[in-house]
Amino acid sequence: MMPTRRSMILGLLGTAAVQPSRVFAQGGAAPIKIRVASVISSAWLPLWVAKDKGIFLEKGLDVEIMSVQNLSTTIGALGRQLDISGATAIDIVKAAASGLDVVGVCGNTLETAANRQMRLIAGKQSGVTSIGQLIGKTIGTPSINGVVHIATLLALKRGGVDAKGVRFIEMMFPNMVDQLKAQRIDAVEEVEPFVSALNKAGHVDLGDPMLQVGDPVTLTSWMANGTWARANPEAIARYVAALEEARAYIAAHEVEAREVLAKWTRLPKDVIENIVLPTYSTALTATHISAWIEAMRETGQLSAELNPSSLVLK
């Protein structure tokens, strides 16, 4: 019987625990090259820790990292210029709905009530103190129909607000702070570390729309071209095992992990020291994807029939 991806990952983790990862290096075989894309944010810290601390090499991988502005632009390069890309469940669902062969490889971060990374925040001078008061207002969003935006649409719908009566303007997360301060917009779909800064400045926290989708709920993940993924189970097993080891490293060595974060993000020291790190998890199942499919259907953003089980690598 062929080993499953899960059994291969567990085997890699178990072997590494006995001999911290010289397993594949000792065999003399050249490491497997994998080309990976991510954006610059604390969500992708396990990737950078696995790279900088030599965990990928210890697992027999030569990982080349490409930093991009927007992960949605990487989908067309999967299976060609890229092997694996950071993603959200929404990216995976939208790609599959358009007929592309993509699969979720593993999870990356979770949103939980105990560790909230996202918030819908109204400007302190906007007069808005509840979601129900956003009708006729302007909201800054990182991406129309992206994961953060879908969560906001769901929160608006369940709060009795018709999203057609709300204006959304796309802008980058760092720009939202200034736009809110200048009163050019009434509210923002914001994430850490900017959430903490806005709350400290006295703006109004309207809650975490992500938790409307689930608690916990998958926020970010990793995806690949389906054909490539099914042809390279060993490489993916090593990749996931390395990320899992990196996650454990971050939990045990937070100071050193934050140094890696500073190197890759180039954020100021005070920001690095105070940023609330996400909840990292490599778990990704059909249930995680299904929660977002249901959210997209409820908000009218998905009409295609999809099987969530086919969107996750077995």
Side-chain angles (χ1 to χ4, degrees):
M1 183 173 66
M2 292 292 292
T4 64
R5 183 171 68 96
R6 177 176 172 78
S7 67
M8 285 193 287
I9 293 169
L10 292 174
L12 289 167
L13 287 170
T15 310
V18 178
Q19 289 185 326
S21 307
R22 281 188 263 275
V23 189
F24 299 104
Q26 288 177 353
I32 301 170
K33 188 174 183 62
I34 296 181
R35 301 159 299 174
V36 177
S38 77
V39 294
I40 301 295
S41 88
S42 59
W44 311 102
L45 181 55
L47 171 70
W48 303 327
V49 166
K51 176 73 171 180
D52 285 13
K53 298 302 177 182
I55 300 173
F56 280 136
L57 282 176
E58 293 169 349
K59 292 287 186 286
L61 298 176
D62 175 11
V63 175
E64 177 186 345
I65 299 175
M66 177 190 302
S67 296
V68 298
Q69 290 283 341
N70 190 331
L71 289 173
S72 64
T73 63
T74 67
I75 296 175
L78 289 172
R80 296 185 293 179
Q81 295 91 347
L82 286 171
D83 300 311
I84 297 176
S85 174
T88 67
I90 295 295
D91 294 322
I92 297 169
V93 172
K94 287 168 64 176
S98 66
L100 297 177
D101 180 16
V102 298
V103 291
V105 170
C106 67
N108 186 60
T109 62
L110 297 172
E111 187 84 347
T112 71
N115 187 5
R116 299 181 297 164
Q117 290 290 302
M118 185 222 165
R119 228 69 109 249
L120 185 59
I121 296 181
K124 59 185 175 183
Q125 296 170 313
S126 68
V128 175
T129 58
S130 69
I131 286 180
Q133 295 174 324
L134 286 171
I135 189 73
K137 302 297 184 180
T138 301
I139 300 177
T141 177
S143 176
I144 298 293
N145 294 334
V147 65
V148 172
H149 185 60
I150 294 295
T152 296
L153 292 179
L154 188 62
L156 289 172
K157 185 176 187 296
R158 292 180 178 178
V161 176
D162 184 351
K164 293 180 180 178
V166 180
R167 183 187 181 203
F168 293 96
I169 300 178
E170 289 188 342
M171 58 187 65
M172 297 178 68
F173 287 125
N175 296 340
M176 292 182 183
V177 177
D178 292 334
Q179 294 294 309
L180 201 61
K181 183 178 179 180
Q183 300 182 59
R184 297 189 184 96
I185 52 178
D186 302 296
V188 293
E189 302 169 2
E190 191 59 282
V191 296
E192 291 290 2
F194 308 106
V195 164
S196 295
L198 289 173
N199 283 337
K200 188 175 181 180
H203 296 288
V204 183
D205 191 332
L206 301 179
D208 184 351
M210 287 287 177
L211 300 181
Q212 293 287 330
V213 182
D215 181 18
V217 61
T218 295
L219 183 52
T220 61
S221 57
W222 293 100
M223 68 177 174
N225 170 273
T227 300
W228 180 88
R230 290 184 287 272
N232 294 276
E234 178 71 20
I236 289 177
R238 295 186 190 189
Y239 185 77
V240 178
L243 292 180
E244 183 62 24
E245 192 170 317
R247 183 198 63 77
Y249 179 93
I250 293 168
H253 306 280
E254 187 173 318
V255 173
E256 293 88 344
R258 286 180 185 270
E259 290 174 355
V260 174
L261 182 64
K263 170 190 169 182
W264 283 84
T265 64
R266 299 184 181 178
L267 289 170
K269 182 179 179 181
D270 60 327
V271 174
I272 291 295
E273 290 176 348
N274 293 292
I275 190 171
V276 178
L277 295 178
T279 299
Y280 300 110
S281 171
T282 58
L284 185 67
T285 67
T287 300
H288 295 122
I289 301 294
S290 179
W292 283 105
I293 289 177
E294 292 171 10
M296 292 178 74
R297 290 199 190 287
E298 187 172 337
T299 55
Q301 305 303 309
L302 180 68
S303 58
E305 292 297 326
L306 296 173
N307 178 3
S309 295
S310 68
L311 303 183
V312 179
L313 189 64
K314 304 298 188 292

